[in-house]
Amino acid sequence: MVQLVGSLRKELADSLSSCRVLVVGAGGIGCELLKNLVLTGFKNIEVIDLDTIDVSNLNRQFLFQKKHVGKSKAQVAKESALQFCPTANITAYHDSIMNPDYNVEFFRNFMLVMNALDNRAARNHVNRMCLAADIPLIESGTAGYLGQVTVIKKGLTECYECQPKPSQKTFPGCTIRNTPSEPIHCIVWAKYLFNWLCSRGHCVLYLCGSQLFGEEDADQEVSPDTADPEAAWNPEEAAARATASEKDGDIKRVSTKEWARSTGYDSIKLFNKLFKDDIMYLLTMDKLWKKRKAPLPLDWQQLENHARPQEDSPGSGLKDQQVLGIWGYCKLFQHSVETLRSQLEQKGDGAELVWDKDDPPAMDFVTAAANLRMHIFSMNMKSRFDIKSMAGNIIPAIATTNAVIAGLIVLEGLKILSGELESCRSIFLNKCPNLRKKLLVPCVLDPPSANCYVCASKPEVTVKLNVHKSMVVFLQDKILKERFGMVAPDVQIEDGKGTILISSEEGETEANNSKFLSDFGIRNGSRLQADDFLQDYTLLINVLHTEDLEKDVEFEVVGDAPDKAPPPPSNQEETNSITNGNKDSAQPSTSSKEMKTDGCFMWRQRKKKSVQENPCTRPSVVLFLPKTDLCTGPNI
């Protein structure tokens, strides 16, 4: 007779009480997961999270209360979970999982790792660490009503990076500065005007941004882009036509931030510069407006003279969902600039501010600036709520979805600890039932991709770039770190001499950063060996030199790895199994990257047959999108 401890076999219950598990993330999924683990019988748990608790977390992260705002998520989650099971041994780390202290040996201390992350960079890193340590990883995520759980085991299943991920949504700089056609263009412009920087001090989109209140980037500017190839114009004639407007604000063509400081952040001068003078300057670029509706400059004095009192008064409904009149946004712009100026003065000389969607003055500034620009370019203005969602890349996080996914993570974990890895599944939570009237659809785990540039036996890729224009620092930051997810890469040229191009040791190869790849003899056909010793990961890079890259494309990864998705099924039997929910083909999302969500790592779409037979059986769609590094977004 089988002995039971609660609802578990005694052998499994004993295993739970002795095994060590690592939970990465203590947000939306992490809180539910930690509670589930201690109630199931897990006794030795370690949890790590870098974030602190925000008010916006409290509607779904039920281990936190208002009194915990500002405290470490990991530490508070530990204390709250211990109230469910005081005998549990929980260790909390208020830290980044990408810290070198958490190396391969650290991961080998665990029998199981469970991800509850919201960003791609950390997911990539944990994936590689679990592969290096040969530890099973349970990956998870949610996006609104959708969710997914999957198991990753070295050599047996696809790793997190086997399938291509949605690329980050970017916008050409000239579109943002000169010819915005969608509200999101104006919102991006307003964010960069304020100062929207991602981690490690690099701009996310490299678009525009001589920032007003944040860290200045000398190479970027939010003023009109005179280098726009569409803007065929006569500079002398344009300068003459723009002279009148330049007199109004006493404006010279200098850094927006430098000029703003010189005016003492005068809100009216700043308004006229951004929404009148710069727009009049744009109008001198005649070719831009031959097939487009020309923008309409705004003048503060004229707007003030014709302002209607009701534009300042709040309307009915929730304040954040109201759309003000044009003068209402002018006043909001003025008030936000004055508030931000006061914040800078309080911080002292050389102070910088970083845009945060949860900071009211910063959000007011972006709301006002974006709406004023929308009006100028004949777009319908948006409410503060809508702009916050777009500016913060917010996908709604729903508590019940997090709870379902957290429960599924534990169930998959129990299979692994029971030695039944072959029974593990990728499980998709859908918004509508499928043909079998099920919301939860289990799918057989796919084997590793032969072309994966992470878990293949000898990872190798080909990168197409111009060796005469690509600097070493570009290779390090944009290709190795951003594109291939390395944390501390070392690069050696396979030239028979073992030339070290990049070293992870501080200061060792800094002199190389500003040199071009061709300066080191790198040419078409050269091979580079990139190692990340923290991740125990080696990648061979074949260099393909070209001078014919498309406009705004700095490099391309070519060949089967890692951009090419697996081919579709070739026989009828496999096609049927997909329709029945046993296997999925991967299809990249069209949504923007760096949306901070409670998870999921790709869109997966089922065959069209299911959709045609039942319109409500929307493809089994699940989104695993990252934080930005992404890129940032909602606090989950």
Side-chain angles (χ1 to χ4, degrees), residues 478-537:
K478 295 291 289 181
I479 299 179
L480 298 178
K481 290 185 177 181
E482 185 175 319
R483 180 64 175 84
F484 294 124
M486 292 187 172
V487 177
D490 292 88
V491 179
Q492 177 178 307
I493 306 172
E494 293 193 347
D495 55 0
K497 305 174 186 176
T499 304
I500 303 298
L501 186 66
I502 297 171
S503 172
S504 58
E505 294 294 329
E506 188 174 354
E508 194 169 303
T509 56
E510 273 188 15
N512 295 347
N513 286 348
S514 58
K515 296 180 181 179
F516 295 104
L517 298 182
S518 56
D519 295 338
F520 296 88
I522 297 173
R523 59 184 185 277
N524 189 55
S526 293
R527 284 166 63 89
L528 309 176
Q529 178 176 310
D531 296 285
D532 192 317
F533 295 108
L534 173 62
Q535 298 176 340
D536 195 15
Y537 174 54

Short mmCIF file of all heavy atoms in Angstrom, two decimals, residues 478-537:
data_model
loop_
_atom_site.label_atom_id
_atom_site.label_comp_id
_atom_site.label_asym_id
_atom_site.label_seq_id
_atom_site.Cartn_x
_atom_site.Cartn_y
_atom_site.Cartn_z
N LYS A 478 26.92 45.81 -28.56
CA LYS A 478 25.73 45.59 -29.36
C LYS A 478 25.58 44.16 -29.85
O LYS A 478 24.47 43.65 -29.96
CB LYS A 478 25.73 46.54 -30.57
CG LYS A 478 25.63 48.00 -30.20
CD LYS A 478 24.28 48.34 -29.64
CE LYS A 478 23.21 48.31 -30.72
NZ LYS A 478 21.86 48.66 -30.18
N ILE A 479 26.71 43.51 -30.18
CA ILE A 479 26.62 42.16 -30.74
C ILE A 479 26.71 41.10 -29.66
O ILE A 479 25.82 40.27 -29.51
CB ILE A 479 27.70 41.96 -31.82
CG1 ILE A 479 27.49 42.96 -32.97
CG2 ILE A 479 27.65 40.53 -32.35
CD1 ILE A 479 28.50 42.87 -34.09
N LEU A 480 27.80 41.12 -28.89
CA LEU A 480 28.01 40.05 -27.91
C LEU A 480 27.07 40.17 -26.71
O LEU A 480 26.44 39.18 -26.31
CB LEU A 480 29.46 40.05 -27.44
CG LEU A 480 30.51 39.78 -28.52
CD1 LEU A 480 31.90 39.84 -27.95
CD2 LEU A 480 30.26 38.42 -29.17
N LYS A 481 26.95 41.36 -26.14
CA LYS A 481 26.13 41.50 -24.94
C LYS A 481 24.65 41.60 -25.28
O LYS A 481 23.82 40.88 -24.70
CB LYS A 481 26.58 42.72 -24.14
CG LYS A 481 27.94 42.55 -23.47
CD LYS A 481 28.28 43.75 -22.58
CE LYS A 481 29.61 43.55 -21.86
NZ LYS A 481 29.94 44.70 -20.99
N GLU A 482 24.30 42.51 -26.19
CA GLU A 482 22.88 42.73 -26.47
C GLU A 482 22.29 41.63 -27.35
O GLU A 482 21.24 41.08 -27.05
CB GLU A 482 22.69 44.10 -27.13
CG GLU A 482 21.23 44.46 -27.34
CD GLU A 482 21.06 45.87 -27.88
OE1 GLU A 482 21.78 46.77 -27.40
OE2 GLU A 482 20.23 46.07 -28.78
N ARG A 483 22.98 41.30 -28.44
CA ARG A 483 22.42 40.32 -29.39
C ARG A 483 22.57 38.88 -28.91
O ARG A 483 21.65 38.07 -29.02
CB ARG A 483 23.08 40.50 -30.76
CG ARG A 483 22.56 39.53 -31.83
CD ARG A 483 21.08 39.81 -32.08
NE ARG A 483 20.57 38.99 -33.16
CZ ARG A 483 20.14 37.75 -33.01
NH1 ARG A 483 20.14 37.19 -31.82
NH2 ARG A 483 19.68 37.06 -34.04
N PHE A 484 23.76 38.55 -28.36
CA PHE A 484 24.02 37.17 -27.98
C PHE A 484 23.99 36.93 -26.47
O PHE A 484 24.32 35.85 -26.01
CB PHE A 484 25.35 36.69 -28.56
CG PHE A 484 25.34 36.62 -30.07
CD1 PHE A 484 26.27 37.30 -30.82
CD2 PHE A 484 24.38 35.87 -30.73
CE1 PHE A 484 26.26 37.24 -32.20
CE2 PHE A 484 24.35 35.80 -32.12
CZ PHE A 484 25.29 36.49 -32.86
N GLY A 485 23.58 37.94 -25.71
CA GLY A 485 23.28 37.75 -24.31
C GLY A 485 24.45 37.43 -23.40
O GLY A 485 24.26 36.89 -22.31
N MET A 486 25.66 37.77 -23.80
CA MET A 486 26.80 37.53 -22.92
C MET A 486 26.87 38.61 -21.84
O MET A 486 26.42 39.73 -22.04
CB MET A 486 28.10 37.48 -23.72
CG MET A 486 28.20 36.29 -24.65
SD MET A 486 29.83 36.18 -25.43
CE MET A 486 29.69 34.59 -26.24
N VAL A 487 27.47 38.27 -20.72
CA VAL A 487 27.58 39.21 -19.61
C VAL A 487 28.97 39.81 -19.53
O VAL A 487 29.13 41.02 -19.40
CB VAL A 487 27.23 38.51 -18.27
CG1 VAL A 487 27.42 39.46 -17.10
CG2 VAL A 487 25.80 37.98 -18.30
N ALA A 488 30.00 38.97 -19.60
CA ALA A 488 31.38 39.44 -19.51
C ALA A 488 32.22 38.70 -20.57
O ALA A 488 32.95 37.76 -20.25
CB ALA A 488 31.94 39.21 -18.12
N PRO A 489 32.10 39.09 -21.83
CA PRO A 489 32.77 38.34 -22.89
C PRO A 489 34.27 38.58 -22.99
O PRO A 489 34.76 39.68 -22.70
CB PRO A 489 32.07 38.84 -24.16
CG PRO A 489 31.62 40.23 -23.81
CD PRO A 489 31.28 40.19 -22.35
N ASP A 490 34.99 37.54 -23.35
CA ASP A 490 36.40 37.62 -23.75
C ASP A 490 36.46 37.16 -25.20
O ASP A 490 35.85 36.14 -25.54
CB ASP A 490 37.27 36.71 -22.89
CG ASP A 490 37.36 37.17 -21.45
OD1 ASP A 490 36.50 36.78 -20.64
OD2 ASP A 490 38.29 37.92 -21.14
N VAL A 491 37.18 37.91 -26.04
CA VAL A 491 37.22 37.57 -27.46
C VAL A 491 38.66 37.43 -27.92
O VAL A 491 39.50 38.30 -27.68
CB VAL A 491 36.50 38.65 -28.31
CG1 VAL A 491 36.57 38.31 -29.79
CG2 VAL A 491 35.05 38.80 -27.87
N GLN A 492 38.89 36.33 -28.61
CA GLN A 492 40.22 36.05 -29.17
C GLN A 492 40.08 35.87 -30.67
O GLN A 492 39.14 35.24 -31.16
CB GLN A 492 40.77 34.77 -28.53
CG GLN A 492 42.11 34.33 -29.09
CD GLN A 492 42.61 33.08 -28.38
OE1 GLN A 492 42.69 33.03 -27.16
NE2 GLN A 492 42.93 32.06 -29.14
N ILE A 493 41.01 36.47 -31.41
CA ILE A 493 41.00 36.33 -32.87
C ILE A 493 41.73 35.04 -33.23
O ILE A 493 42.85 34.80 -32.78
CB ILE A 493 41.69 37.52 -33.55
CG1 ILE A 493 41.06 38.84 -33.08
CG2 ILE A 493 41.60 37.40 -35.07
CD1 ILE A 493 41.80 40.08 -33.58
N GLU A 494 41.09 34.21 -34.04
CA GLU A 494 41.74 32.97 -34.49
C GLU A 494 42.64 33.30 -35.69
O GLU A 494 42.31 33.02 -36.84
CB GLU A 494 40.69 31.92 -34.84
CG GLU A 494 39.91 31.43 -33.63
CD GLU A 494 39.09 30.18 -33.93
OE1 GLU A 494 38.94 29.84 -35.11
OE2 GLU A 494 38.62 29.55 -32.98
N ASP A 495 43.77 33.92 -35.36
CA ASP A 495 44.71 34.35 -36.40
C ASP A 495 46.05 33.63 -36.30
O ASP A 495 47.03 34.03 -36.93
CB ASP A 495 44.94 35.85 -36.30
CG ASP A 495 45.41 36.28 -34.91
OD1 ASP A 495 45.57 35.41 -34.04
OD2 ASP A 495 45.60 37.49 -34.71
N GLY A 496 46.09 32.57 -35.50
CA GLY A 496 47.34 31.84 -35.31
C GLY A 496 48.23 32.45 -34.24
O GLY A 496 49.21 31.82 -33.83
N LYS A 497 47.87 33.66 -33.78
CA LYS A 497 48.66 34.33 -32.75
C LYS A 497 47.91 34.38 -31.41
O LYS A 497 48.51 34.70 -30.39
CB LYS A 497 48.98 35.77 -33.17
CG LYS A 497 49.68 35.89 -34.52
CD LYS A 497 49.80 37.36 -34.90
CE LYS A 497 50.35 37.51 -36.31
NZ LYS A 497 50.39 38.93 -36.73
N GLY A 498 46.63 34.10 -31.45
CA GLY A 498 45.84 34.19 -30.23
C GLY A 498 45.65 35.61 -29.75
O GLY A 498 45.62 35.87 -28.55
N THR A 499 45.49 36.55 -30.69
CA THR A 499 45.33 37.96 -30.33
C THR A 499 44.07 38.18 -29.50
O THR A 499 42.97 37.78 -29.89
CB THR A 499 45.26 38.83 -31.60
OG1 THR A 499 46.42 38.60 -32.40
CG2 THR A 499 45.15 40.30 -31.24
N ILE A 500 44.23 38.82 -28.34
CA ILE A 500 43.10 39.12 -27.47
C ILE A 500 42.48 40.44 -27.91
O ILE A 500 43.12 41.49 -27.83
CB ILE A 500 43.52 39.20 -25.99
CG1 ILE A 500 44.19 37.90 -25.55
CG2 ILE A 500 42.31 39.51 -25.12
CD1 ILE A 500 43.29 36.68 -25.64
N LEU A 501 41.26 40.39 -28.38
CA LEU A 501 40.56 41.58 -28.85
C LEU A 501 39.80 42.26 -27.71
O LEU A 501 39.83 43.47 -27.56
CB LEU A 501 39.60 41.20 -29.98
CG LEU A 501 38.88 42.35 -30.68
CD1 LEU A 501 39.88 43.22 -31.45
CD2 LEU A 501 37.82 41.79 -31.64
N ILE A 502 39.10 41.45 -26.90
CA ILE A 502 38.30 41.96 -25.78
C ILE A 502 38.59 41.10 -24.56
O ILE A 502 38.60 39.87 -24.64
CB ILE A 502 36.79 41.91 -26.10
CG1 ILE A 502 36.46 42.80 -27.30
CG2 ILE A 502 35.96 42.32 -24.90
CD1 ILE A 502 35.04 42.65 -27.81
N SER A 503 38.82 41.76 -23.43
CA SER A 503 39.03 41.04 -22.18
C SER A 503 38.00 41.50 -21.16
O SER A 503 37.66 42.68 -21.09
CB SER A 503 40.44 41.29 -21.63
OG SER A 503 40.57 40.74 -20.33
N SER A 504 37.49 40.56 -20.38
CA SER A 504 36.53 40.91 -19.33
C SER A 504 37.22 41.51 -18.10
O SER A 504 36.56 42.02 -17.21
CB SER A 504 35.73 39.67 -18.92
OG SER A 504 36.60 38.64 -18.47
N GLU A 505 38.55 41.43 -18.09
CA GLU A 505 39.31 42.04 -16.99
C GLU A 505 39.33 43.56 -17.20
O GLU A 505 39.70 44.04 -18.27
CB GLU A 505 40.74 41.51 -16.95
CG GLU A 505 40.83 40.03 -16.60
CD GLU A 505 40.37 39.73 -15.19
OE1 GLU A 505 40.54 40.61 -14.32
OE2 GLU A 505 39.82 38.64 -14.96
N GLU A 506 38.92 44.30 -16.18
CA GLU A 506 38.78 45.75 -16.31
C GLU A 506 40.11 46.40 -16.71
O GLU A 506 41.15 46.15 -16.10
CB GLU A 506 38.29 46.34 -14.98
CG GLU A 506 37.95 47.81 -15.08
CD GLU A 506 37.32 48.34 -13.79
OE1 GLU A 506 37.06 47.53 -12.88
OE2 GLU A 506 37.12 49.56 -13.72
N GLY A 507 40.04 47.24 -17.74
CA GLY A 507 41.20 48.01 -18.17
C GLY A 507 42.19 47.29 -19.06
O GLY A 507 43.09 47.89 -19.62
N GLU A 508 42.02 45.98 -19.24
CA GLU A 508 43.02 45.21 -19.97
C GLU A 508 43.02 45.51 -21.46
O GLU A 508 44.08 45.55 -22.09
CB GLU A 508 42.79 43.71 -19.73
CG GLU A 508 43.97 42.85 -20.16
CD GLU A 508 43.83 41.42 -19.66
OE1 GLU A 508 43.70 41.24 -18.43
OE2 GLU A 508 43.83 40.50 -20.49
N THR A 509 41.86 45.71 -22.05
CA THR A 509 41.79 45.97 -23.50
C THR A 509 40.98 47.22 -23.81
O THR A 509 40.46 47.36 -24.92
CB THR A 509 41.16 44.77 -24.23
OG1 THR A 509 39.87 44.47 -23.67
CG2 THR A 509 42.05 43.53 -24.13
N GLU A 510 40.88 48.13 -22.87
CA GLU A 510 40.10 49.35 -23.10
C GLU A 510 40.62 50.16 -24.28
O GLU A 510 39.87 50.83 -24.98
CB GLU A 510 40.08 50.23 -21.84
CG GLU A 510 38.96 49.87 -20.88
CD GLU A 510 38.85 50.88 -19.74
OE1 GLU A 510 39.43 51.96 -19.85
OE2 GLU A 510 38.21 50.55 -18.74
N ALA A 511 41.91 50.11 -24.49
CA ALA A 511 42.51 50.87 -25.59
C ALA A 511 42.01 50.40 -26.95
O ALA A 511 42.09 51.14 -27.94
CB ALA A 511 44.04 50.75 -25.52
N ASN A 512 41.49 49.18 -27.00
CA ASN A 512 40.99 48.64 -28.27
C ASN A 512 39.60 49.16 -28.63
O ASN A 512 39.19 49.08 -29.79
CB ASN A 512 40.94 47.11 -28.22
CG ASN A 512 42.30 46.47 -28.08
OD1 ASN A 512 43.32 47.14 -28.25
ND2 ASN A 512 42.33 45.18 -27.76
N ASN A 513 38.87 49.67 -27.63
CA ASN A 513 37.45 49.96 -27.83
C ASN A 513 37.16 50.90 -28.99
O ASN A 513 36.20 50.70 -29.74
CB ASN A 513 36.85 50.56 -26.54
CG ASN A 513 36.66 49.52 -25.46
OD1 ASN A 513 36.75 48.32 -25.73
ND2 ASN A 513 36.39 49.96 -24.25
N SER A 514 37.95 51.93 -29.16
CA SER A 514 37.68 52.93 -30.19
C SER A 514 38.32 52.59 -31.53
O SER A 514 38.26 53.38 -32.46
CB SER A 514 38.17 54.30 -29.72
OG SER A 514 39.57 54.25 -29.44
N LYS A 515 38.92 51.42 -31.64
CA LYS A 515 39.53 51.00 -32.90
C LYS A 515 38.55 50.16 -33.71
O LYS A 515 37.65 49.53 -33.16
CB LYS A 515 40.80 50.20 -32.62
CG LYS A 515 41.90 51.01 -31.93
CD LYS A 515 43.13 50.16 -31.69
CE LYS A 515 44.23 50.96 -30.97
NZ LYS A 515 45.43 50.14 -30.70
N PHE A 516 38.75 50.16 -35.03
CA PHE A 516 37.89 49.38 -35.90
C PHE A 516 38.38 47.94 -35.97
O PHE A 516 39.56 47.65 -35.74
CB PHE A 516 37.85 50.00 -37.30
CG PHE A 516 37.21 51.36 -37.34
CD1 PHE A 516 37.99 52.50 -37.46
CD2 PHE A 516 35.83 51.50 -37.24
CE1 PHE A 516 37.41 53.76 -37.48
CE2 PHE A 516 35.24 52.75 -37.26
CZ PHE A 516 36.02 53.89 -37.38
N LEU A 517 37.47 47.03 -36.30
CA LEU A 517 37.84 45.62 -36.38
C LEU A 517 38.94 45.40 -37.42
O LEU A 517 39.83 44.56 -37.23
CB LEU A 517 36.61 44.78 -36.73
CG LEU A 517 35.46 44.80 -35.73
CD1 LEU A 517 34.32 43.89 -36.19
CD2 LEU A 517 35.93 44.39 -34.34
N SER A 518 38.89 46.17 -38.50
CA SER A 518 39.90 46.01 -39.54
C SER A 518 41.30 46.38 -39.06
O SER A 518 42.30 45.91 -39.62
CB SER A 518 39.54 46.87 -40.76
OG SER A 518 39.39 48.24 -40.38
N ASP A 519 41.39 47.20 -38.02
CA ASP A 519 42.70 47.57 -37.47
C ASP A 519 43.42 46.38 -36.87
O ASP A 519 44.64 46.41 -36.68
CB ASP A 519 42.54 48.66 -36.39
CG ASP A 519 42.00 49.97 -36.95
OD1 ASP A 519 42.15 50.18 -38.17
OD2 ASP A 519 41.44 50.77 -36.18
N PHE A 520 42.67 45.30 -36.58
CA PHE A 520 43.28 44.11 -36.00
C PHE A 520 43.40 42.98 -37.02
O PHE A 520 43.59 41.82 -36.66
CB PHE A 520 42.44 43.64 -34.80
CG PHE A 520 42.42 44.62 -33.67
CD1 PHE A 520 41.46 45.63 -33.62
CD2 PHE A 520 43.38 44.57 -32.66
CE1 PHE A 520 41.45 46.55 -32.59
CE2 PHE A 520 43.36 45.49 -31.62
CZ PHE A 520 42.41 46.49 -31.59
N GLY A 521 43.28 43.35 -38.30
CA GLY A 521 43.42 42.35 -39.36
C GLY A 521 42.17 41.52 -39.57
O GLY A 521 42.22 40.52 -40.30
N ILE A 522 41.06 41.91 -38.94
CA ILE A 522 39.81 41.18 -39.12
C ILE A 522 39.22 41.55 -40.47
O ILE A 522 39.04 42.73 -40.78
CB ILE A 522 38.82 41.48 -37.98
CG1 ILE A 522 39.41 41.02 -36.65
CG2 ILE A 522 37.48 40.82 -38.23
CD1 ILE A 522 38.59 41.42 -35.44
N ARG A 523 38.91 40.56 -41.27
CA ARG A 523 38.39 40.79 -42.62
C ARG A 523 37.37 39.71 -42.95
O ARG A 523 37.02 38.90 -42.10
CB ARG A 523 39.53 40.78 -43.64
CG ARG A 523 40.33 39.48 -43.67
CD ARG A 523 41.50 39.58 -44.63
NE ARG A 523 42.21 38.32 -44.79
CZ ARG A 523 43.14 37.87 -43.98
NH1 ARG A 523 43.49 38.60 -42.93
NH2 ARG A 523 43.72 36.70 -44.20
N ASN A 524 36.90 39.72 -44.17
CA ASN A 524 35.93 38.73 -44.60
C ASN A 524 36.51 37.32 -44.39
O ASN A 524 37.58 37.00 -44.88
CB ASN A 524 35.58 38.93 -46.07
CG ASN A 524 34.42 38.06 -46.52
OD1 ASN A 524 33.36 38.10 -45.92
ND2 ASN A 524 34.64 37.26 -47.54
N GLY A 525 35.79 36.48 -43.65
CA GLY A 525 36.25 35.12 -43.41
C GLY A 525 36.98 34.93 -42.09
O GLY A 525 37.30 33.80 -41.72
N SER A 526 37.26 36.02 -41.37
CA SER A 526 37.93 35.89 -40.07
C SER A 526 37.02 35.19 -39.08
O SER A 526 35.79 35.24 -39.19
CB SER A 526 38.32 37.27 -39.53
OG SER A 526 39.31 37.87 -40.33
N ARG A 527 37.65 34.52 -38.10
CA ARG A 527 36.89 33.83 -37.06
C ARG A 527 37.29 34.37 -35.69
O ARG A 527 38.48 34.60 -35.42
CB ARG A 527 37.14 32.32 -37.12
CG ARG A 527 36.40 31.63 -38.25
CD ARG A 527 36.94 30.23 -38.49
NE ARG A 527 36.75 29.36 -37.36
CZ ARG A 527 35.66 28.60 -37.16
NH1 ARG A 527 34.67 28.63 -38.03
NH2 ARG A 527 35.56 27.81 -36.11
N LEU A 528 36.27 34.57 -34.85
CA LEU A 528 36.50 35.05 -33.49
C LEU A 528 35.94 34.01 -32.52
O LEU A 528 34.89 33.41 -32.77
CB LEU A 528 35.78 36.38 -33.26
CG LEU A 528 36.02 37.50 -34.28
CD1 LEU A 528 35.15 38.71 -33.94
CD2 LEU A 528 37.48 37.90 -34.32
N GLN A 529 36.67 33.82 -31.42
CA GLN A 529 36.16 32.95 -30.36
C GLN A 529 35.78 33.81 -29.18
O GLN A 529 36.62 34.47 -28.57
CB GLN A 529 37.20 31.92 -29.94
CG GLN A 529 36.72 31.02 -28.80
CD GLN A 529 37.70 29.93 -28.44
OE1 GLN A 529 38.17 29.21 -29.31
NE2 GLN A 529 38.01 29.80 -27.16
N ALA A 530 34.48 33.81 -28.85
CA ALA A 530 33.97 34.62 -27.74
C ALA A 530 33.62 33.68 -26.57
O ALA A 530 32.86 32.73 -26.74
CB ALA A 530 32.72 35.40 -28.17
N ASP A 531 34.22 33.96 -25.42
CA ASP A 531 33.98 33.14 -24.23
C ASP A 531 33.36 33.99 -23.14
O ASP A 531 33.76 35.14 -22.93
CB ASP A 531 35.30 32.57 -23.69
CG ASP A 531 35.96 31.60 -24.68
OD1 ASP A 531 35.47 30.48 -24.79
OD2 ASP A 531 36.96 32.00 -25.32
N ASP A 532 32.39 33.42 -22.45
CA ASP A 532 31.86 34.04 -21.23
C ASP A 532 32.05 33.01 -20.13
O ASP A 532 31.31 32.03 -20.04
CB ASP A 532 30.38 34.39 -21.39
CG ASP A 532 29.89 35.28 -20.25
OD1 ASP A 532 30.25 34.98 -19.10
OD2 ASP A 532 29.16 36.25 -20.51
N PHE A 533 33.08 33.22 -19.30
CA PHE A 533 33.43 32.22 -18.30
C PHE A 533 32.40 32.15 -17.18
O PHE A 533 32.23 31.11 -16.55
CB PHE A 533 34.82 32.51 -17.75
CG PHE A 533 35.90 32.38 -18.79
CD1 PHE A 533 36.54 33.50 -19.30
CD2 PHE A 533 36.25 31.14 -19.29
CE1 PHE A 533 37.52 33.39 -20.27
CE2 PHE A 533 37.23 31.02 -20.27
CZ PHE A 533 37.87 32.14 -20.77
N LEU A 534 31.68 33.25 -16.94
CA LEU A 534 30.62 33.21 -15.95
C LEU A 534 29.53 32.25 -16.37
O LEU A 534 29.00 31.47 -15.57
CB LEU A 534 30.04 34.62 -15.75
CG LEU A 534 28.80 34.72 -14.86
CD1 LEU A 534 29.11 34.25 -13.43
CD2 LEU A 534 28.26 36.14 -14.83
N GLN A 535 29.18 32.27 -17.66
CA GLN A 535 28.13 31.41 -18.18
C GLN A 535 28.65 30.06 -18.67
O GLN A 535 27.87 29.22 -19.11
CB GLN A 535 27.41 32.12 -19.35
CG GLN A 535 26.72 33.41 -18.96
CD GLN A 535 26.10 34.11 -20.16
OE1 GLN A 535 26.47 33.87 -21.32
NE2 GLN A 535 25.14 34.99 -19.90
N ASP A 536 29.98 29.89 -18.61
CA ASP A 536 30.60 28.66 -19.13
C ASP A 536 30.16 28.44 -20.57
O ASP A 536 29.70 27.36 -20.96
CB ASP A 536 30.22 27.46 -18.26
CG ASP A 536 31.11 26.25 -18.55
OD1 ASP A 536 32.17 26.43 -19.17
OD2 ASP A 536 30.74 25.13 -18.14
N TYR A 537 30.29 29.49 -21.37
CA TYR A 537 29.71 29.51 -22.71
C TYR A 537 30.75 30.01 -23.72
O TYR A 537 31.42 31.01 -23.48
CB TYR A 537 28.47 30.42 -22.71
CG TYR A 537 27.85 30.68 -24.05
CD1 TYR A 537 27.48 29.64 -24.89
CD2 TYR A 537 27.61 31.97 -24.49
CE1 TYR A 537 26.89 29.87 -26.11
CE2 TYR A 537 27.00 32.24 -25.71
CZ TYR A 537 26.65 31.17 -26.53
OH TYR A 537 26.06 31.41 -27.73
#
